[in-house]
């Protein structure tokens, strides 16, 4: 063996002497390394759990979104159907409206003045019959007699003298009749 060559035992001893002090710290370093590794494993587990929670929430939200999107789509389709139905109804109503207007025009052409007078007569006799004003006007217009006395109006209409007097004053104040207070006579006012 040459001087320069060392035996493996000598190499080990030389190496051991160099690292002997560091070798004593090895258990402490290994403990720290083990603790560090445990922390990494725990943190990795926590991150995986959080990832599962987030993924679960994401899946839930995605399902809700798809469900709501589907519902919105269904509602939009239903609204479109109702809109089409409404348009059809409006078209039908337009046709009915046109038909009604045509019928109303035809009927107004067919209605004669006598029919209108009959309606007005019924209105005056049945609806307004309780009003002394109406009865006085009907008497003044309907008979060939031009001038009436207050007593004649009272006897003919069946109203009290006070009601006839009030009605005559109302008619005179509105320019419908001429009332002669002194002679107690009344006639229709002349309009030009």
């Amino acid at each position: 063996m040459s001087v320069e060559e060392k035996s493996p035992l000598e190499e080990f001893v030389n190496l051991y002497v160099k690292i002997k002090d560091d070798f004593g710290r090895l258990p402490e370093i290994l403990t720290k390394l083990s603790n560090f590794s445990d922390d990494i494993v725990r943190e990795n587990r926590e991150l995986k759990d959080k990832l599962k929670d987030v993924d679960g929430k994401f899946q839930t939200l995605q399902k809700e979104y798809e469900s709501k999107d589907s519902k919105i789509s269904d509602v939009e389709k239903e609204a479109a159907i109702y809109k089409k139905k409404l348009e059809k109804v409006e078209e039908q109503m337009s046709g009915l409206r046109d038909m009604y207007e045509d019928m109303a025009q035809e009927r107004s052409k067919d209605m004669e003045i006598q029919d209108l007078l009959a309606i007005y007569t019924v209105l005056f006799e049945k609806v307004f019959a309780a009003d002394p004003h109406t009865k006085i006007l009907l008497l003044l217009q309907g008979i060939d007699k031009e001038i009436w006395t207050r007593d004649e109006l009272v006897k003919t209409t069946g109203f009290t003298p006070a009601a006839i007097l009030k009605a005559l004053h109302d008619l005179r104040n509105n320019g419908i009749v001429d009332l002669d207070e002194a002679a107690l006579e009344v006639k229709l006012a002349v309009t030009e």
Side-chain angles (χ1 to χ4, degrees):
M1 265 183 152
S2 70
V3 179
E4 292 185 11
E5 277 189 37
K6 294 184 182 176
S7 71
L9 184 62
E10 287 175 336
E11 283 181 13
F12 176 75
V13 170
N14 285 338
L15 185 60
Y16 178 74
V17 170
K18 287 182 188 174
I19 61 167
K20 175 174 110 176
D21 293 334
D22 290 336
F23 192 70
R25 290 182 39 217
L26 187 61
E28 178 187 335
I29 292 173
L30 286 175
T31 303
K32 285 182 181 178
L33 183 62
S34 175
N35 290 340
F36 181 73
S37 174
D38 290 343
D39 288 345
I40 288 176
V41 168
R42 189 176 354 95
E43 188 176 338
N44 188 17
R45 194 176 315 120
E46 288 173 1
L47 289 174
K48 283 182 180 178
D49 290 343
K50 286 181 181 178
L51 181 63
K52 283 182 184 177
D53 288 344
V54 169
D55 190 42
K57 288 179 183 177
F58 175 76
Q59 294 297 330
T60 303
L61 288 174
Q62 188 173 16
K63 287 178 184 176
E64 286 179 15
Y65 170 77
E66 289 171 357
S67 171
K68 289 186 190 238
D69 191 40
S70 171
K71 287 179 183 177
I72 289 172
S73 177
D74 292 345
V75 169
E76 286 175 344
K77 289 176 184 175
E78 191 175 337
I81 291 170
Y82 285 127
K83 185 177 179 183
K84 287 180 182 178
K85 287 181 180 180
L86 179 63
E87 289 172 354
K88 287 180 182 177
V89 169
E90 286 178 349
E91 287 176 19
Q92 291 173 350
M93 290 300 292
S94 175
L96 287 174
R97 193 176 310 117
D98 293 341
M99 190 179 353
Y100 173 76
E101 288 174 1
D102 292 343
M103 287 174 53
Q105 288 176 355
E106 288 297 321
R107 183 163 182 181
S108 67
K109 290 177 186 175
D110 293 342
M111 191 177 281
E112 296 180 11
I113 294 177
Q114 289 178 346
D115 294 336
L116 286 174
L117 288 175
I119 291 172
Y120 284 126
T121 303
V122 169
L123 281 174
F124 277 123
E125 289 176 356
K126 303 292 183 191
V127 178
F128 301 114
D131 187 8
H133 299 76
T134 307
K135 284 200 173 186
I136 291 170
L137 286 175
L138 286 174
L139 286 173
L140 290 173
Q141 287 181 342
I143 300 179
D144 290 336
K145 187 173 181 178
E146 190 175 324
I147 298 175
W148 287 72
T149 66
R150 191 174 70 188
D151 289 336
E152 290 173 333
L153 292 174
V154 169
K155 290 176 185 173
T156 307
T157 62
F159 288 104
T160 64
I164 294 294
L165 185 59
K166 181 187 178 320
L168 289 174
H169 282 228
D170 289 343
L171 293 169
R172 181 200 60 202
N173 292 342
N174 286 301
I176 298 172
V177 297
D178 291 328
L179 179 63
D180 183 359
E181 297 273 348
L184 302 174
E185 294 179 340
V186 65
K187 67 178 181 175
L188 282 176
V190 181
T191 57
E192 294 178 22

